[in-house]
Each structure stands twice: as C-alpha cells, then as structure tokens.
Amino acid sequence: MNHSISEKLFAEAKTLMPGGVNSPVRAYSNVGAVPPFIARAKGSHIFDVDGNEYVDYVGSWGPMMLGHAHDAVIKAVASTAENGLSFGAPCGLESELAKLVMSFVPSVEMIRMVNSGTEATMSAIRAARGFTGRDKIIKFEGCYHGHSDSLLIKAGSGMLTTGKPSSKGVPADLAKYTLTLQYNDVAGVRETFDKIGDEIAGVIVEPVAGNMGVVPAKPEFLQALSEETKKHGALLIVDEVMTGFRVGIHCAQGLYGIKPDLTTFGKIIGGGMPVGAYGGRLDVMQQIAPLGGIYQAGTLSGNPVAMAAGLATMRELSGNPEHYVRAERSTTNLLNGLKDAAASAGIPLTANQVGSMGCIFFTEGPVQCFADVQKSDLELFRRYFLGMLDEGIYLAPSQFEAIFVSSAHTDDDIQKTVDAAKKVFKSLV
Ligand SMILES: *Cc1c(COP(=O)(O)O)cnc(C)c1O
C-alpha cells in the first residue's frame, strides 16, 4: 500500500505539533508506522490522502455509531451552520438534546453540556468534591477518564497508599487525593470503604472498561460500588463517555441496572462534534453555578452546530433500535471470525465484547482486569495491526483500545476483515 503523501504530511506535521498530532495515540508510536492522513470517510469506510480505502473500526474512537457522514447528521449540521456557528447565548437545541439524553437515562435529572469527555469527568469530580465537602476520589487501574490532573494518577505501592502522577506536570500533592484500585475487585472496594469511606468524595468508573481493550465490569462489582458509596455518603460517578448510547440506548447503567449519582457523557452524544456532558441527581446538579457554588463554564459549550450533530445522531439511534441490533450482530460475527482464524493458525486469543464494543487479546483468557490485559503479546499485536492495515483494515494502533463497530458495517465488511485476519495470522506464525 502506498502512503507517500501521508509520509510527506506527517514529516511536516512533526515540525509543527508534538509527535505530529493533536492526540498522542494518532502518532502510531506503538506500532512504528506512519499514520495514514485521512481525506474523507463515509459509512463504515475511511479513505486516506493516498487514495487507499479501509474498513474502519476506530469510528473516531467511538462517536460514529451510525457510521461516518450519516446523511441526517450532515444535513442537520449544514442547515444549522447557515444560521451561525456559536452565539454564547442559550439556544433551543441545547434543551432538545438534554431532553433526549435524559429520557433514556432516568438517573440524570439535570444535565450540563461541555465540550469534551475530559471536561465532563473533570467537572463531575469537582461536583462530587463540592457536594460532599471531601477531597479523595477512587478510580480503577486501566480505566481512562480524560486528562485532567486528578485523573492522571496511577496506583501507589499498596492499595491504601497515595497515588502517583502518571504524567509529569501533575502535582504530587494532588495525587494524594486519588486512590487507584483494581477493576472488578469487590473485596478491595469494600476494604477501602471500611477504612476510609468517610473521606471519599466519589468513585469514578467505566461501567465497561474500554481503554484497556474491552473489559466488562462484573455486575457484583458495580453493585458493590453502588452500595458502598451510598453507605458512606460518597457519590458514584459512572463514566459513560464511551459506553453512553454505544452499548444500548439506555447506556451501560441500563444494561447493568445501576443508578449512579452522576453520569458523564461524550463521544456519541456529539455525533462527531466536540460535545461532552455531565448530569445526575438534582440536589447535586443544583449546586453547579449559577445555582450553587461549584463553578464550571464554557465559551463554546452547547453551541448550536455541535448540538445539532448530537441531536440528529441521537434521534436516529432512538428512533431505530435496529442500529444496535445490527452493530452488535456484526461485532459478534467479527469476533467469532477472528477467534476461528486465530485457532486455525494456532494463536492464543481471547475476545471480549459488550454490544458493539469488542477487543481481542493475544493471550489465553479470561481477561478481567488490567493485570490480565498486560498478559497480551504486544509484539504479536503490533505485527497483526500492521498486517491488517496493509490489507485495508483500519484498527486502533494499540492493544489497549477497543474495536468500534457501527450500524453501517455490512456483512461484506466483516467477511473482508475476517479474510484479512486469516491471511495475517498465518503470516505471524
Ligand atoms: C474518551 C474518553 C474520555 C475522554 O474524552 P475526551 O473527549 O477525549 O476528552 C473520558 N472517559 C472515557 C471513558 C473515554 O472513553
């Protein structure tokens, strides 16, 4: 496959932006390749500047549940843009999107729109701290909640020891307020709450972990989080930036039957435009400025074009449940095909799936937490990734990311992908 134009563009970009990119994973550093520069995308396919066509399983990292450039979404954006891009003043579309989101997620009694998932989680943490008057938060190893200071913290040496910054530039003083526990470890959660439950402002969790590959939560784990936060007056923040309207129209909290105090959204609710949101219990949200003393604001928050994209996407998804059925079926077919292909080639492989989120790990299963994820053979992943790219299959360039299937993916797309994997797996052994 020829990538000469991408190579030129990447060389220039590297002189202008750190690593040539505006978000690190796009630089393909893990896999040692030049990232294709993208010219356009439609449905399940993405096209680079060199004229190569790929079946896309990145989906802009989650938002593209309907596939790229869905007609209704593009039309809504174009017609809204004609009336101006941003007013910095209320517009009716904000309430339309709020109503639609809230109608499917009953735990959200009031909502605030922001511009990214990072802003949503950062603001939800502030809301939990402001509401409870406590500083400590709990998160889980392998979960990602955006890049705000309080959330770029990794575990210390023991469960109850203070965290360490996972990025330079995060004050160690702040890290001591973030505890990082093991995902799916019910006993660890109970023990921590027994000891210091009254100091905890909130727990933030991905209800299906999608940033360490895909690792579903055990139902009893989310149940324990629900019980312990309630018992100790802490807030449960369920981060549905990825899972929201991806794993189903009632999100992961609908699937698992939990009722968080706060929920964060992003990705799909913006339909490909920069949108995030956080919301939840009325008594908590009424503490947000201007009603209460927890400050949070945004010049471009709730801007009409972004709201129009989100609204059109959400209307399409809620009006037509077939989208979920189709995307989930395609995901199952894809993972079954990959498992068979790996078995034929004698490659150990574990596949995890929730709805249209999927992931394969090059290890014997089960994969239930970050320690399990780390058993995956990363060199094998790297070679698999490069082989698939060359076959016209556009996957996330990291073992620690999900496969996103859209309702626009066809049986032909899946078959083409499985055929490519058969060829690539054979070449790996
Ligand atoms: C993507 C993601 C975020 C961060 O969202 P951005 O829009 O990239 O800031 C937060 N939480 C989860 C679970 C995510 O998947």
Side-chain angles (χ1 to χ4, degrees), residues 61 115-119 121 144-147 206 211 239-242 267:
W61 303 95
N115 304 288
S116 68
T118 293
E119 258 189 87
T121 55
Y144 176 70
H145 305 288
H147 64 87
E206 284 185 76
N211 289 285
D239 182 358
E240 300 240 33
V241 170
M242 185 184 289
K267 299 191 172 123

Side-chain angles (χ1 to χ4, degrees), residues 297-311:
T299 302
L300 295 175
S301 295
N303 93 80
V305 183
M307 294 296 103
L311 196 53

Side-chain angles (χ1 to χ4, degrees), residues 238-316:
V238 169
D239 182 358
E240 300 240 33
V241 170
M242 185 184 289
T243 53
F245 306 102
R246 160 66 58 184
V247 300
I249 197 69
H250 299 290
C251 308
Q253 57 194 272
L255 273 188
Y256 283 100
I258 49 167
K259 192 168 184 280
D261 301 297
L262 290 174
T263 301
T264 53
F265 299 99
K267 299 191 172 123
I268 286 177
I269 67 158
M273 295 292 279
V275 178
Y278 67 103
R281 264 166 57 184
L282 194 61
D283 57 343
V284 179
M285 293 307 289
Q286 281 174 333
Q287 295 300 313
I288 307 293
L291 288 182
I294 302 168
Y295 191 72
Q296 184 272 311
T299 302
L300 295 175
S301 295
N303 93 80
V305 183
M307 294 296 103
L311 196 53
T313 301
M314 289 289 299
R315 281 187 176 143
E316 185 63 38

Side-chain angles (χ1 to χ4, degrees), residues 128-354:
R129 285 174 167 160
F131 183 79
T132 59
R134 304 170 181 175
D135 290 334
K136 287 191 178 151
I137 57 170
I138 292 177
K139 64 187 260 296
F140 297 93
E141 207 175 6
C143 287
Y144 176 70
H145 305 288
H147 64 87
S148 71
D149 285 352
S150 288
L151 294 166
L152 284 184
I153 311 286
K154 60 187 176 193
S157 49
M159 195 167 66
L160 284 171
T161 58
T162 58
K164 292 200 176 83
S166 59
S167 163
K168 288 187 183 174
V170 174
D173 249 11
L174 191 64
K176 70 185 182 206
Y177 298 117
T178 303
L179 282 95
T180 304
L181 307 184
Q182 184 159 293
Y183 199 70
N184 274 330
D185 177 14
V186 173
V189 167
R190 301 246 191 243
E191 200 179 309
T192 304
F193 268 97
D194 280 349
K195 292 207 174 115
I196 56 161
D198 299 346
E199 299 169 36
I200 304 296
V203 176
I204 186 164
V205 66
E206 284 185 76
V208 175
N211 289 285
M212 51 169 153
V214 172
V215 178
K218 293 178 179 166
E220 62 269 27
F221 173 64
L222 294 178
Q223 202 53 49
L225 295 182
S226 213
E227 287 165 16
E228 293 295 333
T229 47
K230 187 162 282 154
K231 190 166 130 196
H232 293 272
L235 301 192
L236 176 58
I237 305 166
V238 169
D239 182 358
E240 300 240 33
V241 170
M242 185 184 289
T243 53
F245 306 102
R246 160 66 58 184
V247 300
I249 197 69
H250 299 290
C251 308
Q253 57 194 272
L255 273 188
Y256 283 100
I258 49 167
K259 192 168 184 280
D261 301 297
L262 290 174
T263 301
T264 53
F265 299 99
K267 299 191 172 123
I268 286 177
I269 67 158
M273 295 292 279
V275 178
Y278 67 103
R281 264 166 57 184
L282 194 61
D283 57 343
V284 179
M285 293 307 289
Q286 281 174 333
Q287 295 300 313
I288 307 293
L291 288 182
I294 302 168
Y295 191 72
Q296 184 272 311
T299 302
L300 295 175
S301 295
N303 93 80
V305 183
M307 294 296 103
L311 196 53
T313 301
M314 289 289 299
R315 281 187 176 143
E316 185 63 38
L317 286 173
S318 57
N320 188 357
E322 248 314 288
H323 286 296
Y324 289 102
V325 177
R326 224 169 28 233
E328 179 163 349
R329 192 174 53 221
S330 296
T331 310
T332 305
N333 291 341
L334 171 64
L335 294 177
N336 285 340
L338 294 178
K339 276 191 282 192
D340 289 347
S344 306
I347 294 174
L349 187 136
T350 303
N352 283 354
Q353 178 187 359
V354 179

Side-chain angles (χ1 to χ4, degrees), residues 47-65:
F47 303 81
D48 72 17
V49 288
D50 287 286
N52 301 308
E53 178 174 355
Y54 310 86
V55 183
D56 176 30
Y57 292 101
V58 177
S60 188
W61 303 95
M64 295 303 167
M65 182 68 196

